[in-house]
Amino acid sequence: IFGRSFCGWACPMGALQDIARKLKVSDMARKKLKPNVDPRFKYLKYLILLAVPVTAYLSKDLFYTNLCPVGGVTGTIPTLLFYPDEWTFGSTFPVKTTSVILFSILILLVIRGWCKYLCPIGAFLGPWNKISATGLRRDESTCKHCNLCEKTCPMDIKDIGTKPDSECLLCGRCVDSCKFHSLKL
């Protein structure tokens, strides 16, 4: 019903990426290393989405959960911090630790990198933006085409508000940045 608005408003991984951005550590890392990721890599999350049920079927296991950093960030790390005596070392811990480290590097180097390139949930929810009850709308009569909205968009979307975009998180940063109040969420 709401497309990728979950990603912009409720996702714990998105919140973590936003916190990393606010700490300015990621700004320093990006300035120093100047990562340049090909925009076509955004299709990788759709391949991951297709691979999840296939690998689960072939391995007869929830194979993807062993690789995905979400469980490590939202489950393992909080458990280790708050309930260290209740946590047990599993056979997938080294793999999960590696994925959490790689995720951490990604969010330091690329704004919303997880969301843009790897998140299968975002890949599933993205196409629903086209028929979502929420969306962005641009008033062309007041828009000055200053592109402030595009500069603040964490997903690097162009022509914001002209048509529904499956990459849009509906976070509203573009709306907040528009000095001419041309965008409505």
Side-chain angles (χ1 to χ4, degrees):
I1 295 172
F2 300 110
R4 271 188 97 172
S5 58
F6 169 82
C7 305
W9 292 90
C11 177
M13 298 302 270
L16 185 63
Q17 292 174 92
D18 289 344
I19 290 167
R21 197 182 90 244
K22 287 188 189 289
L23 294 176
K24 305 293 183 196
V25 175
S26 57
D27 290 344
M28 292 185 297
R30 279 193 307 278
K31 283 179 185 174
K32 190 169 186 137
L33 298 173
K34 296 179 175 65
N36 186 16
V37 182
D38 189 323
R40 293 179 291 189
F41 278 124
K42 71 181 180 182
Y43 299 109
L44 185 58
K45 67 181 166 284
Y46 297 100
L47 291 175
I48 292 170
L49 176 63
L50 293 173
V52 169
V54 171
T55 57
Y57 176 77
L58 293 175
S59 67
K60 295 182 181 25
D61 184 25
L62 297 175
F63 179 75
Y64 179 73
T65 59
N66 298 335
L67 302 173
C68 181
V70 175
V73 171
T74 62
T76 305
I77 292 173
T79 302
L80 282 170
L81 291 174
F82 299 113
Y83 307 103
D85 296 336
E86 296 180 22
W87 185 81
T88 58
F89 185 83
S91 62
T92 60
F93 183 73
V95 174
K96 185 65 76 178
T97 302
T98 303
S99 72
V100 169
I101 291 168
L102 292 173
F103 167 78
S104 301
I105 292 168
L106 176 66
I107 67 171
L108 287 176
L109 295 179
V110 182
I111 295 173
R112 283 287 186 137
W114 173 257
C115 306
K116 284 180 194 173
Y117 306 116
L118 300 174
C119 181
I121 303 296
F124 176 76
L125 294 174
W128 297 102
N129 276 0
K130 306 248 187 247
I131 58 170
S132 173
T134 57
L136 289 169
R137 200 177 31 200
R138 181 182 354 184
D139 181 355
E140 290 293 340
S141 66
T142 58
C143 181
K144 305 295 183 208
H145 302 284
C146 64
N147 295 329
L148 275 177
C149 56
E150 292 179 9
K151 290 176 186 163
T152 59
C153 178
M155 298 299 285
D156 301 324
I157 295 171
K158 305 296 178 216
D159 298 323
I160 294 174
T162 57
K163 63 185 181 334
D165 191 306
S166 62
E167 296 298 310
C168 181
L169 305 175
L170 301 165
C171 64
R173 285 188 186 94
C174 56
V175 175
D176 292 341
S177 70
C178 183
K179 293 179 181 179
F180 306 102
H181 308 289
S182 301
L183 291 171
K184 301 282 185 257
L185 183 62

